[in-house]
Each structure stands twice: as C-alpha cells, then as structure tokens.
C-alpha cells in the first residue's frame, strides 16, 4: 500500500460508520461497505459507494480496511473470524480500527496483522454523530509513524483533528481517557443543575456565568438543553458509555492507575441501565439525581 491508497473497505455502517464512509466517497475514494444489516451497505451504494455481501468480498481489493463496530466482541469477530479480515485481506493492507475498544484488543490486532503481513492502526474518534456527518471528528491514532502518515489523507477526510498519539493501543488509551473526562464532567454538570434548581436561583443566568469561567465546558454547552428540559433523546447512548467505562476501568487496572471518579460514575451508569435508561443520551446521568431527590421523572425519550 502507498500513501496514495484509493480503495477502501468499510466494515460497520451504523450511526458513525455510515456518514464516515459517505465522507470518504465524497473525497473521491472507492469505498466498498459491509454491515450485518444489509440495508446499510445498500444506502452507501446509493450514495456512490459499493455494497458487499460479506467481509471477504468487501476487503478483496482494498488497500485500506476500516472497521467501525460497537465493541470488542464484534471487532474480534470481524478481524479474527473465519470469514474475517485477516483471513481475506491481501498482504500489505492497512487495517484501521476506528471503533472504541480496549487498548488490549488494539495491541492484539496489531500483532496478528503484523504476523499476517498486514499493518494496523487503532484510530478511535470523538465528536459524535454530528462530527461524523460534518467530517470534523477528532481522531486519535496508535501505531507506527509510517502507517499513520499513510493513513493521514484518509483520516483527514473524516476528521479535522487527526493526531498520532503513540504505538499500537495508544489511540484507544487516549479514547478511554476522553470518555472518563466526558462522563465525570456530565455528572458534575448534572449535580450543579439539580442543586441550582433546588436553590431557586435564576438557572439560565447561573449557567451562562458558570460557562463563561473556569467551570465552563463543551459538555455544559452541548448538554445544557438536555439537562434543563429533561430531553434525553440520544445522542450518545448510555449503553455505549457503559462499554467505554468498562474499557477505561480495565485499561486503568492494567497499569495500576486509580480512577476513583471514573469508577463512581461508571456505577451510576450501571444503575441507569438497570432502570431501563441505557438507550437514553448520556446526559441522562441527571436522572439518577432526580430519582434520589424524589423528583417526578419528566424525561422525554
Ligand atoms: P452502531 O451500533 O450505530 O453501528 C454499528 C454497526 O455495526 C451496526 O450497523 C451493526 O449492524 C454493525 N455490525 C455489528 N457487528 C458487525 C459485524 N460483525 N460485521 C459487520 N457489521 C457489524 O454504533 P455507532 O454509534 O456507529 O458506534 C460505533 C463505534 O463508534 C462504537 O465503538 C462507539 O462506541 C464509537 N463511537 C460512537 C459515537 C456516537 O456518538 N455514536 C461517538 C464516538 C465513538
């Protein structure tokens, strides 16, 4: 594969993968998509890409294979399975896993890819569905500098902040740190909103002034309306953030790094899932607080 690779297989065309693949088509790449839900690949074909009926078919002529799948088990199946990428991609192919998975899986993929004569990057993203549609994702990549340089034009068609953060697994390590900050920030903002409401202050004025100072954050800006209106339509589902917090706790344990706030918010997310809220946006962390405040749950799903 050269730095001018033009042929891409895209495996996993869901909320994130579909618009990311569409942006690659728009940038002039020949993109062949595969998803367990066949209708997703048909949509890509209607947008100028090609639909494949299997991973083997998708990767047959690909110089780059991108995966955007839910979690470790699906990525493992797509990469290591009998009909999977390692069994069918040509030597020299660059595999870029953009799913959010454990750093341990990323390292395992890189090692196995090397043994099979392929190359691999882990390149998870931040920015949500809107960022994927607009092509403005933050992309944190782990792997060799050479493979990163080869992948950079492709990654830049999907994101505006594209950064090499270290060897294999590093992208996923940075991603779980990202998810720690987002989760704890949401929890703190939700506690502040409920406290301010109970105190009877002018809530919009309070949030304006808070967001203009050191406590201001992208989370407060983007999730403010969810908190104040109790509208928790996703967005980023609590189920996915639960998976990410599990990845964080596993990765932190491996290096012996305590993440006490992360562990606590992870438990709050588990409680929400047990209450049937896993499909709501992660700003629904506020619902735990409404519950323990004895407040009627007003959320609109
Ligand atoms: P999604 O569930 O919408 O999409 C996943 C797609 O993978 C589905 O279309 C599913 O049919 C397909 N799939 C599952 N197993 C498959 C297999 N073995 N072979 C082929 N296709 C398969 O999920 P998403 O929101 O697009 O998220 C994808 C990844 O991106 C996750 O790891 C998530 O944590 C991460 N992420 C999501 C967001 C977000 O806002 N949604 C933001 C950043 C990162």
């Amino acid at each position: 594969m050269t730095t001018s690779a033009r042929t891409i297989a895209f495996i996993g065309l869901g909320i994130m993968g579909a618009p990311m693949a569409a942006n690659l088509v728009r940038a002039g790449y020949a993109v062949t998509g595969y998803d367990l839900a066949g209708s997703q690949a048909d949509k890509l074909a209607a947008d100028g890409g090609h639909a494949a009926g299997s991973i083997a078919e998708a990767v047959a002529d690909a110089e780059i294979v991108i995966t955007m799948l839910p979690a470790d088990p699906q990525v493992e199946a797509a990469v290591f399975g009998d009909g999977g990428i390692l069994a069918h991609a040509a030597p020299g192919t660059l595999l870029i896993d953009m799913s959010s998975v454990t750093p341990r899986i990323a390292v395992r993929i890189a090692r196995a890819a090397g043994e099979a004569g392929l190359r691999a990057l882990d390149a998870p993203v931040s920015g949500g569905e809107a960022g994927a549609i607009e092509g403005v994702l933050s992309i944190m990549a782990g792997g060799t500098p050479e493979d990163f340089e080869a992948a950079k034009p492709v990654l830049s068609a999907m994101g505006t902040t594209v950064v090499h953060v270290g060897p294999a697994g590093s992208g996923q390590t940075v991603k779980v740190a990202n998810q720690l900050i987002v989760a704890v920030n949401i929890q703190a903002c939700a506690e502040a909103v409920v406290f301010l409401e109970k105190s009877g202050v002018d809530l919009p004025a309070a949030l304006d002034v808070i967001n203009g100072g050191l406590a201001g954050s992208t989370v407060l800006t983007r999730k403010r309306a969810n908190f104040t209106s109790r509208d928790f339509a996703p967005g980023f589902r609590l189920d996915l953030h639960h998976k990410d917090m599990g990845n964080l706790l596993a990765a932190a344990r491996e290096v012996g790094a305590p993440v006490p706030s992360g562990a606590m918010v992870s438990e709050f997310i588990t409680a929400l899932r047990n209450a049937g809220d896993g499909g709501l946006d992660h700003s629904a962390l506020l619902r735990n607080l409404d519950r323990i405040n004895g407040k009627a749950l007003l959320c609109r799903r």
Side-chain angles (χ1 to χ4, degrees), residues 11-17 34-37 68-70 74 99-100 125 128-129 175 236 240 243:
I11 316 295
L13 300 163
I15 289 176
M16 297 295 286
Y34 171 72
D35 192 289
L36 276 184
M68 193 55 172
L69 298 163
Q74 292 82 11
S99 330
S100 303
V125 310
E129 184 182 13
K175 175 64 182 175
F236 187 74
L240 281 178
K243 176 258 306 181

Side-chain angles (χ1 to χ4, degrees), residues 87-255:
H88 293 281
T93 303
L94 178 57
L95 166 58
I96 309 175
D97 181 30
M98 304 190 75
S99 330
S100 303
V101 297
T102 50
R104 177 191 277 270
I105 290 289
V107 171
R108 199 179 143 217
I109 291 172
R111 194 174 299 132
E115 286 165 8
L118 280 68
R119 298 178 291 158
L121 288 174
D122 48 295
V125 310
S126 178
E129 184 182 13
I133 292 168
E134 292 160 20
V136 296
L137 293 168
S138 274
I139 302 176
M140 39 215 100
T144 68
E146 298 73 31
D147 290 341
F148 175 71
E149 284 309 316
K152 205 166 174 193
V154 173
L155 299 177
S156 299
M158 298 178 280
T160 41
T161 306
V162 179
V163 181
H164 183 231
V165 292
S170 306
Q172 298 297 351
T173 300
V174 174
K175 175 64 182 175
V176 292
N178 184 86
Q179 295 306 81
L180 163 66
I181 294 170
V182 171
V184 174
N185 199 341
I186 290 176
Q187 178 67 22
C189 291
E191 290 183 17
V193 166
V194 172
F195 160 65
L196 291 167
E197 286 173 343
K198 285 196 106 169
S199 305
V201 299
D202 179 339
L203 184 63
L207 295 179
D208 283 346
V209 72
I210 286 172
N211 215 17
L214 187 59
S217 68
T218 308
V219 162
L220 186 53
T221 303
R222 295 247 182 101
K223 302 297 180 184
R224 173 180 172 154
N226 302 84
F227 295 139
T228 55
S229 67
R230 275 31 175 201
D231 184 346
F232 300 120
F236 187 74
R237 286 181 289 114
L238 277 164
D239 282 338
L240 281 178
H241 215 138
H242 178 258
K243 176 258 306 181
D244 290 341
M245 296 309 276
N247 292 350
L248 164 72
L249 298 177
R253 176 170 285 214
E254 278 192 25
V255 296

